[in-house]
Every structure is written in C-alpha cells, then in structure tokens.
Amino acid sequence: MIQELFGLEGKCAMVVGGAGGLGQAQCKALAGAGADIAVCDISAEAGGQVVREIEQQGRRAEFVAVDLRDKKSVYQAAEEVLNRLGRVDILCNTAGINNRVPLLEYEEEAWDRVLDINLKGIFLACQAVVPQMIERGYGKIINMSSIMGRISYYNQAGYSASKGGVDGLTRVMAVEWAKNGIRANAIAPTYINTPLVEKVLQDEPERLDYTQRHTPMGRLGQPEELMGLTIFLASPASDFITGQTVYLDGGYTAF
C-alpha cells in the first residue's frame, strides 16, 4: 500500500532546469521512485552528466535542450520529450536565476531575463505540456517558488517578484485544471546548499549569518531534503493536494 502511494513506476517526468542543483535532486528523486526522466536544460554538458547518473540508477533518462526565453525552443523541447518518452505525467518547472542588485540599479534587460526564466518559462512550459495531460485526465505540476515570494531581503526585487508570481500562477493552474485530473503545487525553499548558493553566501557572509539566525533549525537546507517533498507531490500520496505552496525552509517563514 505504501509503495503504491509513493511509487512512480511507469511514470514519465519532465524536469525543466534539471541540470541545476535543485533540478538534479528532483531528477534523481523521481528516478529513484521509478520514473523515467527527461532532463531539460540549456546546458548540454551538465544535463548529460545528470542523464548518466540516472542511467546508473537503472532508469531511463533523456537530455533535451531548452531555452526558456524562446517560446519556439520550449515547444520544440516539449514535443521532443513526448516523442521520446511518449507522455509527460509529471512536469517540474525548476529553472531559475537571480540578479542581486539594488532596485534603483536594476536594468530593464536584467529584470526581463529574471522574469522570463523564473516565471514566463513556467507559463510557456505548461502551455506546451499540459494539453496532453488534459487529454489523459492526469498530471502533476511542481513549480519551484522560494521563500522570497513571501518574505523580503535586500537586492531581491526581480527574484521576489518572479517567485510571488509563481505562487499566484500555481493557484490559477490548480483552479483551472483540477477538473482535468491535474494537480499543481509549488515548493518554496530557503537557501539550499548547492554550489551556486554556496558561492553567493561566501561572497556575502552577512546573508548567511542573517539566514541562519532567522531559521529556527539554524542551518541551510540540503539538496537531498528536496527529494522527499518532490516524490510526495509527484505521487498518488498527494492526489487531494493542489494549489499549495509548500515551504521547505527549516521554519524560516514561521519565525
């Protein structure tokens, strides 16, 4: 019974941003639970490495290139995934970037890039993938939000705006597609100890100190701590949950 609730045998997952630190964790988690994986990313080198690691787990994995700022690329990637895997049962929208500058110094091009990748990219990926979910009456969407969609910090204007948008967009998806058997939820992590975050916190030690002081658990999250929540939201165990933003933050937003 428990294995059936959390198992993903026979499912196909498309992870957009699958070569990044969080995306890698999600790819490996979903594969470990039994799903075949399409690792979609702009980086072929990093994406190929994730594919090889999943194959070593004994699961099928395919790399598909995608540029989230290009609608044509997104639709082509979705078509290629469907051609290779046959369907997409689980769509993880995990790609994201940041631009840490004061609001009055934020350049329009940088603003557009952050919003395009973090928010518009989810909109485009869902438009490309969800119709085949609707046809089959089943789908799980997991969007990557952040605690910055709810709280604020210096030099996070574009990022916070994009993640607040992800939360709102996820709720609309849930309302519009519930009748089609599709569940849409978001995960909102605090700082997760990936190589990219590690570099940011090394450059800004005051940010690390602030984060740890405001986190009841007193530490950053680890990539593997994203795995269980990803499996839960992708599996039948969460079939009556939709439209939620789940905070993976060590208690930060409860403090």
Side-chain angles (χ1 to χ4, degrees):
M1 177 64 176
I2 298 300
Q3 188 170 358
E4 292 176 359
L5 276 176
F6 293 94
L8 298 175
E9 288 288 341
K11 300 298 184 184
C12 298
M14 176 177 175
V15 182
V16 182
L22 300 183
Q24 288 187 36
Q26 289 189 305
C27 287
K28 294 172 185 177
L30 296 169
D36 293 333
I37 310 296
V39 182
C40 302
D41 204 279
I42 198 167
S43 172
E45 181 178 357
Q49 178 60 36
V50 177
V51 166
R52 288 188 289 275
E53 292 178 11
I54 293 172
E55 289 175 338
Q56 290 174 359
Q57 294 180 235
R59 301 306 313 177
R60 180 182 177 186
E62 303 277 351
F63 174 76
V64 177
V66 65
D67 180 353
L68 289 175
R69 298 197 72 189
D70 182 347
K71 179 178 179 179
K72 183 178 179 181
S73 174
V74 174
Y75 274 71
Q76 286 178 339
E79 183 177 2
E80 188 170 349
V81 171
L82 292 171
N83 287 337
R84 293 196 197 181
L85 298 185
R87 67 185 186 281
V88 175
D89 302 295
I90 303 155
L91 172 62
C92 294
N93 291 303
T94 310
I97 63 168
N98 202 347
N99 184 48
R100 297 174 181 85
V101 296
L103 181 57
L104 294 181
E105 297 175 18
Y106 222 116
E107 296 184 359
E108 182 180 1
E109 182 180 354
W111 175 274
D112 289 344
R113 180 172 174 79
V114 170
L115 270 290
D116 282 351
I117 292 174
N118 294 7
L119 181 58
K120 187 178 178 181
I122 294 177
F123 158 73
L124 291 175
C126 285
Q127 281 200 329
V129 172
V130 167
Q132 58 86 39
M133 291 182 173
I134 292 175
E135 287 179 4
R136 293 183 293 106
Y138 179 86
K140 293 292 186 91
I141 299 169
I142 305 173
N143 297 324
M144 192 59 66
S145 182
S146 166
I147 60 169
M148 291 299 166
R150 177 173 172 178
I151 59 101
S152 56
Y153 192 76
Y154 302 102
N155 304 336
Q156 295 281 2
Y159 191 76
S160 290
S162 71
K163 295 305 184 179
V166 169
D167 294 345
L169 181 59
T170 300
R171 290 192 293 269
V172 173
M173 291 176 182
V175 171
E176 290 196 2
W177 298 331
K179 63 182 180 297
N180 303 113
I182 297 169
R183 291 82 170 175
N185 294 288
I187 297 174
T190 183
Y191 289 103
I192 302 295
N193 196 16
T194 64
L196 181 62
V197 166
E198 184 177 353
K199 183 179 185 308
V200 170
L201 297 179
Q202 284 177 348
D203 293 342
E204 302 178 49
E206 71 281 0
R207 187 188 296 264
L208 173 60
D209 178 65
Y210 181 91
T211 300
Q212 291 180 330
R213 284 190 292 106
H214 285 75
T215 302
M217 289 189 178
R219 63 174 177 83
L220 304 182
Q222 300 300 319
E224 56 269 22
E225 291 176 312
L226 177 64
M227 290 180 166
L229 182 54
T230 296
I231 293 171
F232 173 65
L233 292 177
S235 72
S238 62
D239 275 355
F240 200 55
I241 299 175
T242 195
Q244 303 304 305
T245 296
V246 184
Y247 290 89
L248 186 71
D249 65 358
Y252 191 115
T253 54
F255 189 50

